[in-house]
Amino acid sequence: MASGDNYNNLNCKSTLNLFDLNSPVYCSNHKLPEALQKIADIVGIENVTNSENEIQSHRDSLGNSFKPLKNEYSNLIVYPTSTEQISKVVRVCNEYRLPIVPYAGGTSLEGQYVPTRNGICLDTSKMAKIIRLNQDDLDIVVQPGVTWQDLNAFLQPYNLFFGPDPGPGAQIGGMVATSCSGTNAFRYGTMKDNVLSMKIVLPDGTLIKTKNRPRKSSAGYNLTNLFIGSEGTLGICTEVTLKLNIIPKHEIIALSYFDSIKDASKTVSDLFKNGIQLNAIELMDSRQMKVINQFSYTDRKWSENNLLICKIGGPTKNILNDTIDIFEKISSQNNGFNFEIATNEREKTELWSARKTNLWSSIDWAKSMDPDMKYWTTDVAVPVSKLPNVIEETAIDIENSGLNTTIVGHVGDGNYHALIIFPPEKEQIAKQVLNRMIKRAIDNEGTVSGEHGIGLSKRDFLIDELGQDTINTMRKIKLALDPLRIMNPDKIFKIDPNDVKTSH
Amino acid sequence: MASGDNYNNLNCKSTLNLFDLNSPVYCSNHKLPEALQKIADIVGIENVTNSENEIQSHRDSLGNSFKPLKNEYSNLIVYPTSTEQISKVVRVCNEYRLPIVPYAGGTSLEGQYVPTRNGICLDTSKMAKIIRLNQDDLDIVVQPGVTWQDLNAFLQPYNLFFGPDPGPGAQIGGMVATSCSGTNAFRYGTMKDNVLSMKIVLPDGTLIKTKNRPRKSSAGYNLTNLFIGSEGTLGICTEVTLKLNIIPKHEIIALSYFDSIKDASKTVSDLFKNGIQLNAIELMDSRQMKVINQFSYTDRKWSENNLLICKIGGPTKNILNDTIDIFEKISSQNNGFNFEIATNEREKTELWSARKTNLWSSIDWAKSMDPDMKYWTTDVAVPVSKLPNVIEETAIDIENSGLNTTIVGHVGDGNYHALIIFPPEKEQIAKQVLNRMIKRAIDNEGTVSGEHGIGLSKRDFLIDELGQDTINTMRKIKLALDPLRIMNPDKIFKIDPNDVKTSH
């Protein structure tokens, strides 16, 4: 009987309820050595390891907020060196029903690469070639193991750069998986906006390309954007074509301080309304500025108020100066003060580095209070008009709960990060604070994650945000592409009715 | 047995080959009246019709390039007035296996709404309410029946507008389905970039929302962008949240003429490289300009050369003037001449209207040669560096084949339209020319459609562009969400092994 009839007989539903599934059945222990041997044969013995160290480093990190259980580790770390190898390895995994955790820079924060089912960890970091720069078309074809920093170093002599700037060390493959962004997203978009096409190895080993290379296309389903943000649950990207941008001819850093986050936020909104285009606009709250002064990675002293810091660029000095004037004017209309600009490279780097190193300053602060201090850095996003209240309520909630925090916002996108700092004995309180922060975002028509993704940490919250039927639609798509449930199982949503893990 | 086991036993594949399916089985003739009656009961007798006229107008139009066969018509045109009604109607269709063709403004060109399987046509044009403007967040919630022109008329007093500007009469629901764009896409993006979230009725009647309202999200699969461009094959959108833009404070129209399309194209590329931001940049070839002079919807006379026409905007006059100066300088460096700008509303409208009415001028020209003259307007896109050659080769090919053409390009996006004009007896020649135009795009790493979609016209070409495995992935997703294959069957790719229709 052809499978089409089975489809029809099976069901007429568009969604898949978790409890209509049985638990997945994976490779048995006695078959495992055979499968692993086949995989080692494909990539070569020099490209696999089961060393304790590497298995450990591929299942957890300092930043990872959802810790693996003791028995959650990969049986083998596999470093393929080509698309063909990935396809062959995945075919073996499909045949043996062996789970695969795709792994890139390991900088994700929400448990995305925790090997909940054992199996293999497929680390694409050895595939770090730049394949082809198409300078006139402002695009580039790269392998998934390239970091965004290496990519930008390569592009700099061509006066080009790649927009998304997440945490250092992130690799393109993981950036695709998480749909990350960073401080440039306000102007240059998130990963969703910056990938033209991909080669993907599907969970049965089939290799597809999602699109050709033109900027614009209405040619069938947008598979590119289905895979971006799917956290490795639908396949593994083995080649990516990225959009590039011209480095602005003139760019300066401007900043202004505000007593209230509301005023800072209003400034941003007024800038929009005046059609002012900024290349980045970031907020750091007064708590964060105090910490930066105390645990500074920069030499200068900062006012300990809420800081709005932005990049202003333009093709001519006139355009630049006009934009700076308007920024200053609108800031002061909204009670901004201590306006300042940096035009030379040294000053610009110094000012911006405060933003880029804010996390390290905050962690130093935490450790200075108590070396055992723990922290979670999480992100949510809301419509921009709701951001000031949401930030203020979260900060007060954290402090009223006896914990410490610093807050940084991609204020143009309504996206903010609260670093929740807590001593180990207060983990339960921290969880409650975090839950309220996420719930507050949902209550304000927001999302449980603006750029860090769902992983294991936020699966329950995602249901609260989107509703069970939306999740059941995602699950239906997942099972269609990955019927054996081998591709990064358990991430984003549950695929096993007996999975009892709860979000933070 | 739970369906998960069935999934596992059935197959372990990520893709679905057409020939692994049997033909779909739809509602039998003797069950049909019962199903239609139930549907009429849901929406009310005043919201259904089987009038000859409406059935005809819902299956074809002048612009539609893939004509329905005589027996291809909907049995009932249904005008639901609410999301709830749509959900209920779809449930009935699911129960009776009755095909549904979603219908919006009816401006699509590639056979998207041809009712290949009979069943019902679900016309959302009565759902044309603006639900909520969120002025501070620059977004708006609307029903799918709103046209983009009505939307912009509503937004104008708020100094806001919606980016995508496809053919007049297009409604938001259809614009989502086709992933359309228009002349504003270069600056403001296509539909893919302009939808924040949607409510979708899935093929089994389940209502989901794809996302919440924040600008940025990495919360699970990007269902919003899976549905955009899916041409009604995965579900029906019943509510859409759209991004809005500020109307530029100052905006002028500038133009320059070029002897060669290569020079015009080089101008665009040099403008990019200088970081110049234009609000639109369009090309009309010398053939088009001759036709506009002869069959003008404007009073003025134009030089009969290749025209580059653009919108330049800015928050201050200085910024505007600097940008104009650079445009003029770069144009002349690339042998541009007869540079001109329009600053007042009357002149601006006159200049831009030449672009917006070019299709009507061209059709008038065709009809002046022979009232029976036929035409196809199709679009392809390539990487921008390849555009000049591709346009030139296509124009020569059309003329060498003894046919007429005019060419218009969204030159910043590498996207162009060739109007192929032919007398009825030369339809076969026109088909061959069209095939070569599409093949030429694919050979140049391009796409078979930049903004018109696939419909029935380009299904075979889509396979040439992306490969059978990519189409089989789309088909797997389609069958997962629409196991009964009732939702706009046969569009984008085949879902029936006995479907023998070929592309143009």
Side-chain angles (χ1 to χ4, degrees), chain A residues 168-438:
Chain A
Q171 296 172 8
I172 297 297
M175 291 164 69
V176 163
T178 311
S179 187
C180 73
S181 38
T183 62
N184 291 335
F186 171 62
R187 168 70 191 274
Y188 301 100
T190 72
M191 286 302 282
K192 289 182 176 72
D193 310 299
N194 281 285
V195 178
L196 285 174
S197 93
M198 288 192 277
K199 285 188 181 167
I200 301 272
V201 169
L202 298 174
D204 67 354
T206 304
L207 174 67
I208 61 167
K209 68 170 170 185
T210 58
K211 213 173 77 58
N212 265 350
R213 198 162 62 79
R215 292 255 141 178
K216 203 162 125 179
S217 169
S218 58
Y221 297 174
N222 188 347
L223 296 180
T224 311
N225 260 290
L226 176 63
F227 286 102
I228 297 172
S230 65
E231 302 189 7
T233 63
L234 298 177
I236 296 168
C237 81
T238 68
E239 197 177 296
V240 190
T241 305
L242 301 167
K243 285 190 201 172
L244 301 176
N245 306 290
I246 308 281
I247 295 175
K249 208 170 219 166
H250 307 278
E251 191 174 69
I252 61 103
I253 307 287
L255 58 82
S256 189
Y257 293 90
F258 297 84
D259 281 331
S260 88
I261 288 179
K262 211 163 270 176
D263 282 342
S265 205
K266 177 77 169 25
T267 301
V268 176
S269 159
D270 287 351
L271 286 164
F272 290 176
K273 284 185 188 153
N274 280 275
I276 297 301
Q277 184 149 59
L278 304 169
N279 290 349
I281 177 108
E282 296 281 312
L283 174 82
M284 291 192 277
D285 82 336
S286 54
R287 298 164 191 87
Q288 178 68 70
M289 297 318 296
K290 271 184 208 130
V291 168
I292 287 177
N293 270 343
Q294 248 186 300
F295 300 89
S296 185
Y297 286 69
T298 69
D299 289 333
R300 57 173 278 155
K301 283 286 157 196
W302 304 76
S303 301
E304 297 187 350
N305 304 89
N306 302 299
L307 175 73
L308 207 53
I309 182 165
C310 67
K311 290 183 185 170
I312 299 176
T316 71
K317 290 227 157 155
N318 269 340
I319 293 179
L320 190 73
N321 291 335
D322 260 31
T323 312
I324 296 169
D325 288 349
I326 296 174
F327 178 77
E328 184 172 10
K329 195 178 119 204
I330 292 179
S331 296
S332 19
Q333 280 168 358
N334 286 293
N335 312 311
F337 53 89
N338 289 4
F339 176 80
E340 196 178 328
I341 62 169
T343 52
N344 70 46
E345 283 312 311
R346 196 191 54 75
E347 284 171 2
K348 283 199 285 183
T349 306
E350 184 176 41
L351 287 195
W352 200 251
S353 71
R355 169 62 189 87
K356 289 302 269 187
T357 60
N358 80 294
L359 181 62
W360 318 129
S361 305
S362 298
I363 293 172
D364 286 354
W365 174 46
K367 298 291 174 193
S368 79
M369 290 185 272
D370 176 350
D372 290 334
M373 200 68 100
K374 294 177 75 176
Y375 60 87
W376 286 325
T377 169
T378 197
D379 89 302
V380 295
V382 293
V384 285
S385 66
K386 297 178 184 269
L387 191 66
N389 278 346
V390 161
I391 288 182
E392 208 45 65
E393 285 173 26
T394 298
I396 290 169
D397 186 20
I398 296 173
E399 292 182 342
N400 284 353
S401 306
L403 307 180
N404 290 103
T405 187
T406 56
I407 288 178
V408 179
H410 305 307
V411 68
D413 297 315
N415 182 203
Y416 79 100
H417 304 259
L419 187 77
I420 303 174
I421 298 167
F422 58 95
E425 69 274 14
K426 289 197 176 166
E427 180 158 339
Q428 275 313 312
I429 296 175
K431 271 192 191 181
Q432 289 157 13
V433 164
L434 182 67
N435 288 358
R436 286 194 296 270
M437 170 179 167
I438 294 170

Side-chain angles (χ1 to χ4, degrees), chain B residues 214-234:
Chain B
R215 292 254 142 180
K216 203 161 125 180
S217 168
S218 58
Y221 297 174
N222 188 347
L223 296 181
T224 311
N225 260 291
L226 177 63
F227 286 103
I228 296 173
S230 66
E231 301 188 8
T233 63
L234 297 177

Side-chain angles (χ1 to χ4, degrees), chain B residues 20-255:
Chain B
D20 286 340
L21 285 167
N22 290 336
S23 280
V25 178
Y26 293 120
C27 185
S28 65
N29 279 337
H30 84 273
K31 280 284 198 181
L32 183 63
E34 186 179 306
L36 298 183
Q37 185 57 52
K38 283 198 181 179
I39 289 167
D41 290 346
I42 292 166
V43 298
I45 194 72
E46 69 284 11
N47 290 321
V48 297
T49 176
N50 60 2
S51 90
E52 189 63 39
N53 268 354
E54 292 217 42
I55 283 177
Q56 182 54 33
S57 72
H58 281 78
R59 72 184 207 117
D60 198 12
S61 74
L62 207 63
N64 177 33
S65 69
F66 201 99
K67 297 299 174 190
L69 300 175
K70 210 168 166 184
N71 63 345
E72 292 178 338
Y73 56 84
S74 296
N75 303 105
L76 195 70
I77 316 298
V78 182
Y79 295 92
T81 56
S82 71
T83 294
E84 292 64 33
Q85 285 187 358
I86 293 181
S87 174
K88 283 182 186 165
V89 167
V90 173
R91 267 178 223 280
V92 171
C93 292
N94 190 276
E95 184 191 339
Y96 285 85
R97 298 186 177 219
L98 190 61
I100 305 166
V101 174
Y103 187 96
T107 59
S108 64
L109 298 165
E110 308 292 5
Q112 273 95 340
Y113 55 81
V114 170
T116 45
R117 303 281 172 170
N118 309 121
I120 68 162
C121 175
L122 195 146
D123 183 327
T124 51
S125 59
K126 285 199 183 175
M127 290 172 65
K129 284 199 199 92
I130 284 168
I131 297 172
R132 184 159 58 114
L133 170 64
N134 300 301
Q135 208 177 340
D136 288 337
D137 296 322
L138 299 181
D139 69 53
I140 192 165
V141 186
V142 302
Q143 288 189 321
V146 176
T147 68
W148 64 272
Q149 294 134 299
D150 286 347
L151 177 60
N152 281 336
F154 171 84
L155 290 170
Q156 209 270 337
Y158 301 96
N159 200 36
L160 296 172
F161 75 102
F162 178 61
D165 60 336
Q171 296 172 8
I172 297 298
M175 292 165 69
V176 163
T178 311
S179 186
C180 74
S181 36
T183 63
N184 290 335
F186 172 62
R187 169 70 192 274
Y188 300 100
T190 72
M191 286 302 283
K192 290 182 175 73
D193 310 300
N194 281 285
V195 178
L196 285 174
S197 91
M198 288 191 277
K199 284 189 183 167
I200 302 271
V201 170
L202 297 174
D204 68 352
T206 303
L207 174 68
I208 62 167
K209 69 170 170 184
T210 58
K211 215 173 76 60
N212 265 349
R213 200 163 59 81
R215 292 254 142 180
K216 203 161 125 180
S217 168
S218 58
Y221 297 174
N222 188 347
L223 296 181
T224 311
N225 260 291
L226 177 63
F227 286 103
I228 296 173
S230 66
E231 301 188 8
T233 63
L234 297 177
I236 297 168
C237 81
T238 68
E239 198 176 294
V240 190
T241 305
L242 302 166
K243 286 190 201 172
L244 301 176
N245 305 290
I246 308 282
I247 295 175
K249 207 170 219 165
H250 306 279
E251 190 174 66
I252 61 103
I253 307 288
L255 58 82

